Each structure stands twice: as structure tokens, then as C-alpha cells.
Amino acid sequence: MSLKVKICGVTTPPALHAAIDAGADMVGFVFFPKSPRNVSLRGACDLSAGMGGKAQKVALVVDADDGLIRDIVQEFKPDWVQMHGAEPAERVAEIRQKFGVPILKAIGVAQPSDLSEVEAYLGVADRILLDAKPAKGAELPGGNGLAFDWTLTEGFSKRTGCENWLLSGGLNPENVGEAIRLTHAPGVDVSSGVEDSPGQKSVEKIRAFIAAARRAQDHLA
């Protein structure tokens, strides 16, 4: 299985083009007003119009209601809906069935026991994203530039039977190679780690991140 690379929180054409040209597999668009990476539905549609299927579109939502998800699915037509809030497995299953779109479910990780939450989503979500659990009281559930102890994921696929997952949280061009070598994650996701400031993606950092991830993938092959 080839490594999946996801660039999340894209808001500008240069960032989008950099991600696609550098070979990103997935590009995330954030539909969460509290985030500095938030985009309007019309803005996301316009921004993604030129993607031409070169990368999969991911719509990130946080504890969204049916109305928002319906609008996103009908107008934006994402390949994935990323549920990055406190959505229980029942809610994930409901959305997946109701709207017929694959679900990427984020799980916050800070200690070994957090990984036990994954079991409830197996067979419900189509892919799992392991992200650093935000600090208590944080406004954002992700994109905070925090990393968790990657050694917690040792043997994760074998232990859980989950082979489709992404590693996220605190990744950047300098450490993504080591993260891949250490965890053997089948995919990586980055947002703040390729920014110059919150919400401001760096074209150079996006290219460097994807290149570093691919080099690490080649070394593991």
C-alpha cells in the first residue's frame, strides 16, 4: 500500500496547486468557523474547481448538523467527510449511511488508553486519523501543531485490525520522515506544520513536506 499524504486546511490557489503539483493524495478544506483555515462553501467550491481529480477532496467538519453536511455533499461533492469533533460511532454511521460518503474519523491521542476509542469506529468509519489530543479548553480540535508520543502507535494496525489510518499532529517537513520510519503509518496528514502563520500555508513547506514523506516511503519499501 502506497503512502497517503494529506495536506489539510488549504485556503488559497497557490497552496492548492503546490499540494497537487507535489503529489498530495488528499487535500482538506475546513468547514469550521472557529478555525483560521475555515472556508465558505462557495469559496471551497471555487477553489477546488480546477483540481480535476488529481487529488481527493476532503471536507473537514466538527460536530456538524445534517444541514451543513447535506450542503457540503451536494455542492462541494467531497470524496471524504472528515469528522473531527466528538462524534460518537453512532453519529458517524448515521452520516455515512444518510449521505453515502466515505468517512475519515479523527481520534485524539495523548495516552495509550485513547487508542482504545478506535475500536468503536472500526467498520463504521472508512479511515481513522490519529491526531494529538488538544489541550483542555482549546478552541480547535486539531491543527494546533501538537504532537503525541508516536511510539504509542507501535503495532497499531496489527493490534486493532485497522490498516487504513493517517498519522497527524505536530508533523512538519523536518520530522515527517522520522515519524513514518518510526510508526510505519500508511498515511500522514499535516496542516499547521506547513504554515508560516495560522491559516497561511507556505508553498515551499508543502513541497518540502511531501518530498520528505515520499523519501521516507521509498526507504521503507
Side-chain angles (χ1 to χ4, degrees), residues 139-150:
E139 285 198 346
L140 301 180
N144 296 300
L146 302 175
F148 65 94
D149 181 0
W150 297 325

Side-chain angles (χ1 to χ4, degrees), residues 17-55:
H17 296 152
I20 291 175
D21 292 345
D25 300 288
M26 310 170 80
V27 177
F29 299 79
V30 176
F31 298 91
F32 184 53
K34 291 183 179 180
S35 171
R37 304 162 190 98
N38 181 60
V39 291
S40 68
L41 185 53
R42 175 44 48 198
C45 291
D46 291 344
L47 184 59
S48 65
M51 289 179 65
K54 294 178 182 178

Side-chain angles (χ1 to χ4, degrees), residues 108-116 130-131 147-157 159-160 165 167 182-183:
V109 180
Q111 55 193 4
S113 60
D114 292 325
L115 292 173
S116 64
L130 299 180
D131 196 4
F148 65 94
D149 181 0
W150 297 325
T151 64
L152 297 179
T153 68
E154 184 177 356
F156 175 76
S157 296
R159 284 187 284 119
T160 63
W165 59 281
L167 178 69
L182 182 65
T183 67

Side-chain angles (χ1 to χ4, degrees), residues 61-146:
V61 297
V62 179
D63 300 313
D65 60 26
D66 285 6
L68 176 59
I69 296 176
R70 181 179 295 108
D71 289 344
I72 289 171
V73 170
Q74 291 179 350
E75 298 184 38
F76 182 60
K77 296 180 173 55
D79 297 290
W80 294 82
V81 168
Q82 178 174 332
M83 303 182 77
H84 213 107
E87 304 92 354
E90 295 78 12
R91 177 61 173 160
V92 172
E94 177 186 22
I95 294 302
R96 187 171 181 260
Q97 181 178 23
K98 184 176 292 187
F99 298 104
V101 61
I103 302 296
L104 172 61
K105 180 66 181 90
I107 304 292
V109 180
Q111 55 193 4
S113 60
D114 292 325
L115 292 173
S116 64
E117 293 185 26
V118 172
E119 185 176 354
Y121 296 93
L122 296 179
V124 178
D126 298 273
R127 184 169 285 162
I128 296 294
L129 184 146
L130 299 180
D131 196 4
K133 181 176 285 188
K136 189 174 181 178
E139 285 198 346
L140 301 180
N144 296 300
L146 302 175

